[in-house]
Amino acid sequence: MSEAILKIENLSKSYGELEVLKDMNLEVKEGQVISVIGPSGSGKSTFLRCMNLLERPNSGTILYNGKNVMEKHYEKRELHKEVGMVFQRFNLFPHKSVMDNIILAPKKLKLGSKETLKEQALFLLEKVGLESKAEEMPKNLSGGQQQRVAIARALAMNPKVLLFDEPTSALDPELVGEVLKVMQDLAKEGMTMIVVTHEMGFAREVSDHVIFMEGGYIVEEGKPEEVFSNPQNERTKKFLSSVL
C-alpha cells in the first residue's frame, strides 16, 4: 500500500461542554478499507463527518494528500470533490429523477457536458445494478435501491476516498445485502473507504483495518482478525460478545 492519502492527528471535537472526540489519530492509505465500529454515541459518525469538514473539529490536524485542510485558506469544495460521502438516510432529492440526482453535483461543477455526465451516470447505475431505474423518482424505489443510487451519486464525482456513515442501518434486513455487495465490489476495485458500520460481517471480511471507538476515543484498532478473534481491551471484548 502507498503513502497515507488522509492523516488525522490529535483531532478533538466538542459541542459546548460536551467533548465528543478526544485526541483522535488515524492514517488512511490509498486503497485501504477501514471499518469503524463501536456502541451508539461513541462519536463514530462525528469522526467521519470531521474527515471531510461537514463538522469542523475544534483542534488537531487533517492532512489530505499532504495538505492541511484545517487551514483557513483551504478551499473546502476541493475536499468535497475528492472525499465523497454516503449517508445513512440516502439524502436523495425527492423531486428529481434518479438520473438528475446523480448528475446534479458534477453538472454544477462543470465536470463535463450533460451528455457525457448522463453516459457516466448510466455506467454507474449499471455498476450498482439499477440501469433500468434512471428515470424513476426516488419514492418509487426501495430503501436498498435508494442507497445504491446514493452510492452512484457519490461515485459520479470520481472521488479518491468514500466515507460511508452507517449506510445500511436505515434499511430493512433483507435489503442490506444488496448495498453491502456494491461496497464489496468497490473495495475489490481499490476504492479507499472508511465505513462506520454495525455490519460485523462486512467489517471482518472486507476491511483491511478495524477501529473500535468508545466514549470519543479509539480504544482499539488493528487487522480484522486481531480485533475480532483476539481483542486486547476489555471494552472491545464486551462489545463484540454482545453483537456477535
Side-chain angles (χ1 to χ4, degrees):
M1 281 193 186
S2 52
E3 286 297 291
I5 187 168
L6 192 63
K7 200 172 184 182
I8 291 158
E9 296 169 335
N10 313 115
L11 190 83
S12 296
K13 171 71 181 168
S14 301
Y15 298 104
E17 295 294 295
L18 181 67
E19 209 178 357
V20 183
L21 299 174
K22 304 157 193 173
D23 197 29
M24 305 287 283
N25 293 281
L26 179 65
E27 208 166 288
V28 183
K29 294 194 163 63
E30 221 170 314
Q32 203 174 22
V33 178
I34 295 177
S35 284
V36 185
I37 64 171
S40 295
S42 55
K44 306 184 298 296
S45 291
T46 304
F47 186 35
L48 201 71
R49 292 170 71 85
C50 284
M51 287 180 201
N52 72 345
L53 300 183
L54 285 179
E55 298 275 358
R56 191 149 190 100
N58 294 73
S59 60
T61 308
I62 301 172
L63 298 171
Y64 175 71
N65 272 337
K67 287 182 183 163
N68 184 2
V69 308
M70 298 273 285
E71 285 179 358
K72 274 198 176 74
H73 63 269
Y74 186 86
E75 193 57 72
K76 207 158 63 165
R77 270 185 323 188
E78 292 307 307
L79 186 68
H80 290 163
K81 270 189 215 170
E82 303 214 344
V83 182
M85 181 106 172
V86 177
F87 300 89
Q88 185 178 346
R89 295 256 163 217
F90 332 132
N91 289 12
L92 298 176
F93 292 104
H95 59 288
K96 288 185 180 293
S97 69
V98 163
M99 172 64 78
D100 288 341
N101 263 285
I102 293 172
I103 67 172
L104 183 69
K107 199 167 103 183
K108 222 177 222 176
L109 293 166
K110 299 183 171 63
L111 298 185
S113 69
K114 196 170 179 183
E115 284 64 40
T116 308
L117 295 177
K118 279 189 160 184
E119 257 173 56
Q120 185 198 19
L122 285 171
F123 168 75
L124 293 172
L125 282 171
E126 199 177 328
K127 197 183 180 79
V128 299
L130 292 172
E131 57 272 40
S132 64
K133 302 291 186 188
E135 298 311 321
E136 289 283 357
M137 301 304 277
K139 69 173 190 296
N140 299 329
L141 303 179
S142 71
Q145 289 171 330
Q146 288 189 56
Q147 192 58 293
R148 285 186 280 153
V149 171
I151 293 172
R153 180 181 59 180
L155 290 171
M157 293 296 289
N158 202 14
K160 303 286 184 288
V161 181
L162 261 187
L163 309 177
F164 290 84
D165 189 8
E166 298 190 15
T168 58
S169 64
L171 301 179
D172 293 334
E174 69 269 24
L175 302 176
V176 167
E178 63 190 51
V179 173
L180 293 180
K181 165 81 171 66
V182 171
M183 292 168 66
Q184 214 161 347
D185 291 345
L186 287 173
K188 281 181 193 152
E189 288 166 18
M191 174 61 76
T192 310
M193 291 158 61
I194 304 159
V195 185
V196 170
T197 186
H198 292 293
E199 299 294 333
M200 295 302 139
F202 178 89
R204 193 173 202 156
E205 289 150 35
V206 183
S207 314
D208 308 296
H209 194 77
V210 173
I211 289 169
F212 173 69
M213 279 182 68
E214 160 86 333
Y217 287 104
I218 293 175
V219 173
E220 186 160 351
E221 61 179 310
K223 288 188 165 62
E225 58 270 24
E226 292 165 1
V227 174
F228 283 99
S229 305
N230 190 23
Q232 300 303 298
N233 187 285
E234 278 311 312
R235 188 61 193 95
T236 317
K237 287 178 192 171
K238 196 174 169 194
F239 173 77
L240 289 173
S241 71
S242 72
V243 295
L244 291 177

